[in-house]
Amino acid sequence: MTLTKKIDFAIIIGVKNANPNGDPLNGNRPRQNYDGHGEISGVCIKRKLRNRLLDDGQAILVQSDDYRTDDHRSIKSRYDAATKELSKSDGAEQRATFACQTWFDVRAFGQVLAGVDSTNASIAIRGPVSVQSAFSIEPVDISSLQITKSVNLDTNKKDPSMKSGDTMGIKHRVERGVYLTYGSINRQLAEKTGFTDDDAQTLKAAMLNLFENDESSARPAGSMEVIKVIWWTHEDVVLSSAKVHRSLEVNADGT
């Protein structure tokens, strides 16, 4: 049975001495908007949700190369392996249905499947789950630390004991911040992809564990946490998500 009620949600995230989401176009500094508020992109949040769903044993189509659970190095390779038993004559609707039934992230977030049917056309699947970027409640302070590697990347031929330029680097971190993101699960789109009430509870559990098994040098263990997940369910399928989200007030300490 597909989703029976429209759902809105919010995730309150605490950050302490970590880089929540580096910007590759800005030296991997933590993302900020023009007002100085920290940002974690919606794409980053969905990437972490997919990883937690993989930890939970769910089938995921879009897997990052350093977190994949199979031998497939691309979305196309994974899709082709799963659909090799399908008839070449199967059209876009049949292939979209198969993808939604097979992979949790397709059923939840949707996916564009390029050139996979008999006409070599792309299949666009709209998922019911949308996730916004997270922004800090207040402007964040970013610290930059000069670091030195203990060994050269290459041996200095003139003087092997001399440090070369590639041993120097910079790490950036947000000293402290509380971030807030919103999202929703659309009941009408859930009917099209087969997203169920059980799927919604599985996704909620992944949100609660968003930063478990997500440690790195930029995000040491314990430096990021989900403070709270707020979960609204509605009988009215056309209720404005914007009005629901505006009803939430979060203080700078996450309360």
Side-chain angles (χ1 to χ4, degrees), residues 67-248:
Y67 211 89
R68 58 190 172 87
T69 58
D70 53 34
D71 295 329
H72 302 294
R73 305 297 294 271
S74 68
I75 295 173
K76 187 177 187 306
S77 173
R78 188 170 294 112
Y79 177 88
D80 288 347
T83 59
K84 61 184 179 181
E85 300 300 329
L86 291 180
S87 170
K88 292 183 179 180
S89 62
D90 285 337
E93 185 176 349
Q94 292 90 341
R95 289 180 177 273
T97 299
F98 177 85
C100 290
Q101 292 173 345
T102 303
W103 293 290
F104 187 104
D105 58 330
V106 177
R107 194 162 63 247
F109 306 126
Q111 183 66 33
V112 175
L113 303 171
V116 296
D117 70 357
S118 57
T119 65
N120 206 37
S122 296
I123 301 172
I125 301 171
R126 289 186 62 193
V129 180
S130 61
V131 182
Q132 300 180 17
S133 293
F135 292 94
S136 62
I137 304 302
E138 293 184 342
V140 294
D141 292 324
I142 297 176
S143 299
S144 298
L145 305 175
Q146 190 80 34
I147 59 173
T148 305
K149 298 177 185 176
S150 61
V151 64
N152 292 330
L153 182 63
D154 293 313
T155 302
N156 189 313
K157 295 180 179 180
K158 292 184 177 180
D159 185 355
S161 64
M162 180 181 293
K163 294 288 186 182
S164 60
D166 58 36
T167 64
M168 304 301 292
I170 298 177
K171 290 185 67 174
H172 311 283
R173 68 189 184 192
V174 171
E175 294 187 359
R176 188 179 295 272
V178 172
Y179 291 64
L180 175 62
T181 182
Y182 297 100
S184 66
I185 309 178
N186 182 289
R187 185 176 167 186
Q188 289 92 337
L189 292 177
E191 291 178 357
K192 294 183 178 180
T193 68
F195 191 87
T196 67
D197 287 330
D198 288 341
D199 288 334
Q201 292 304 311
T202 298
L203 185 67
K204 182 180 180 181
M207 293 176 187
L208 290 166
N209 299 315
L210 194 62
F211 302 107
E212 299 298 324
N213 199 26
D214 188 59
E215 297 86 355
S216 71
S217 61
R219 299 178 304 280
S223 64
M224 296 189 65
E225 64 171 332
V226 172
I227 298 174
K228 185 182 295 186
V229 171
I230 298 93
W231 196 260
W232 295 276
T233 57
H234 316 288
E235 297 289 349
D236 186 351
V237 297
V238 295
L239 181 67
S240 168
S241 292
K243 290 183 179 180
V244 175
H245 297 167
R246 283 202 303 271
S247 69
L248 178 64

